[in-house]
PDB file of all heavy atoms in Angstrom:
ATOM      1  N   LEU B 111     102.559  42.676 122.142  1.00  0.00           N
ATOM      2  CA  LEU B 111     102.384  41.510 121.282  1.00  0.00           C
ATOM      3  C   LEU B 111     103.081  41.691 119.940  1.00  0.00           C
ATOM      4  O   LEU B 111     103.561  40.721 119.347  1.00  0.00           O
ATOM      5  CB  LEU B 111     100.898  41.250 121.051  1.00  0.00           C
ATOM      6  CG  LEU B 111     100.093  40.778 122.262  1.00  0.00           C
ATOM      7  CD1 LEU B 111      98.601  40.779 121.943  1.00  0.00           C
ATOM      8  CD2 LEU B 111     100.538  39.381 122.691  1.00  0.00           C
ATOM      9  N   GLY B 112     103.135  42.929 119.468  1.00  0.00           N
ATOM     10  CA  GLY B 112     103.754  43.211 118.178  1.00  0.00           C
ATOM     11  C   GLY B 112     105.244  43.449 118.246  1.00  0.00           C
ATOM     12  O   GLY B 112     105.895  43.602 117.203  1.00  0.00           O
ATOM     13  N   GLY B 113     105.795  43.501 119.466  1.00  0.00           N
ATOM     14  CA  GLY B 113     107.226  43.717 119.621  1.00  0.00           C
ATOM     15  C   GLY B 113     107.680  45.103 119.223  1.00  0.00           C
ATOM     16  O   GLY B 113     108.833  45.305 118.810  1.00  0.00           O
ATOM     17  N   CYS B 114     106.798  46.087 119.346  1.00  0.00           N
ATOM     18  CA  CYS B 114     107.155  47.452 118.966  1.00  0.00           C
ATOM     19  C   CYS B 114     106.903  48.407 120.128  1.00  0.00           C
ATOM     20  O   CYS B 114     106.120  48.120 121.033  1.00  0.00           O
ATOM     21  CB  CYS B 114     106.382  47.905 117.730  1.00  0.00           C
ATOM     22  SG  CYS B 114     104.589  47.748 117.852  1.00  0.00           S
ATOM     23  N   ALA B 115     107.569  49.541 120.103  1.00  0.00           N
ATOM     24  CA  ALA B 115     107.434  50.541 121.162  1.00  0.00           C
ATOM     25  C   ALA B 115     106.344  51.545 120.810  1.00  0.00           C
ATOM     26  O   ALA B 115     106.235  51.974 119.660  1.00  0.00           O
ATOM     27  CB  ALA B 115     108.760  51.272 121.360  1.00  0.00           C
ATOM     28  N   LEU B 116     105.538  51.906 121.806  1.00  0.00           N
ATOM     29  CA  LEU B 116     104.562  52.983 121.643  1.00  0.00           C
ATOM     30  C   LEU B 116     105.288  54.285 121.976  1.00  0.00           C
ATOM     31  O   LEU B 116     105.505  54.603 123.141  1.00  0.00           O
ATOM     32  CB  LEU B 116     103.369  52.760 122.568  1.00  0.00           C
ATOM     33  CG  LEU B 116     102.269  53.828 122.567  1.00  0.00           C
ATOM     34  CD1 LEU B 116     101.732  54.063 121.162  1.00  0.00           C
ATOM     35  CD2 LEU B 116     101.146  53.428 123.519  1.00  0.00           C
ATOM     36  N   VAL B 117     105.694  55.018 120.940  1.00  0.00           N
ATOM     37  CA  VAL B 117     106.583  56.157 121.150  1.00  0.00           C
ATOM     38  C   VAL B 117     105.863  57.498 121.200  1.00  0.00           C
ATOM     39  O   VAL B 117     106.473  58.525 121.540  1.00  0.00           O
ATOM     40  CB  VAL B 117     107.686  56.208 120.069  1.00  0.00           C
ATOM     41  CG1 VAL B 117     108.575  54.983 120.146  1.00  0.00           C
ATOM     42  CG2 VAL B 117     107.090  56.366 118.675  1.00  0.00           C
ATOM     43  N   GLY B 118     104.597  57.542 120.854  1.00  0.00           N
ATOM     44  CA  GLY B 118     103.900  58.820 120.901  1.00  0.00           C
ATOM     45  C   GLY B 118     102.511  58.719 120.315  1.00  0.00           C
ATOM     46  O   GLY B 118     102.064  57.654 119.882  1.00  0.00           O
ATOM     47  N   GLY B 119     101.821  59.853 120.316  1.00  0.00           N
ATOM     48  CA  GLY B 119     100.465  59.891 119.775  1.00  0.00           C
ATOM     49  C   GLY B 119      99.812  61.219 120.056  1.00  0.00           C
ATOM     50  O   GLY B 119     100.445  62.163 120.536  1.00  0.00           O
ATOM     51  N   GLU B 120      98.536  61.283 119.748  1.00  0.00           N
ATOM     52  CA  GLU B 120      97.765  62.512 119.923  1.00  0.00           C
ATOM     53  C   GLU B 120      96.372  62.170 120.399  1.00  0.00           C
ATOM     54  O   GLU B 120      95.729  61.235 119.886  1.00  0.00           O
ATOM     55  CB  GLU B 120      97.694  63.270 118.592  1.00  0.00           C
ATOM     56  CG  GLU B 120      96.621  64.329 118.496  1.00  0.00           C
ATOM     57  CD  GLU B 120      96.904  65.587 119.327  1.00  0.00           C
ATOM     58  OE1 GLU B 120      97.866  65.584 120.109  1.00  0.00           O
ATOM     59  OE2 GLU B 120      96.154  66.558 119.193  1.00  0.00           O
ATOM     60  N   THR B 121      95.912  62.882 121.422  1.00  0.00           N
ATOM     61  CA  THR B 121      94.528  62.778 121.864  1.00  0.00           C
ATOM     62  C   THR B 121      93.871  64.124 121.593  1.00  0.00           C
ATOM     63  O   THR B 121      94.259  65.136 122.178  1.00  0.00           O
ATOM     64  CB  THR B 121      94.441  62.443 123.365  1.00  0.00           C
ATOM     65  OG1 THR B 121      95.117  61.212 123.603  1.00  0.00           O
ATOM     66  CG2 THR B 121      92.993  62.298 123.788  1.00  0.00           C
ATOM     67  N   ALA B 122      92.907  64.136 120.672  1.00  0.00           N
ATOM     68  CA  ALA B 122      92.277  65.386 120.247  1.00  0.00           C
ATOM     69  C   ALA B 122      90.870  65.486 120.824  1.00  0.00           C
ATOM     70  O   ALA B 122      90.048  64.600 120.615  1.00  0.00           O
ATOM     71  CB  ALA B 122      92.230  65.445 118.720  1.00  0.00           C
TER      72      ALA B 122
END
Side-chain angles (χ1 to χ4, degrees):
L111 292 171
C114 54
L116 178 55
V117 297
E120 163 72 352
T121 301

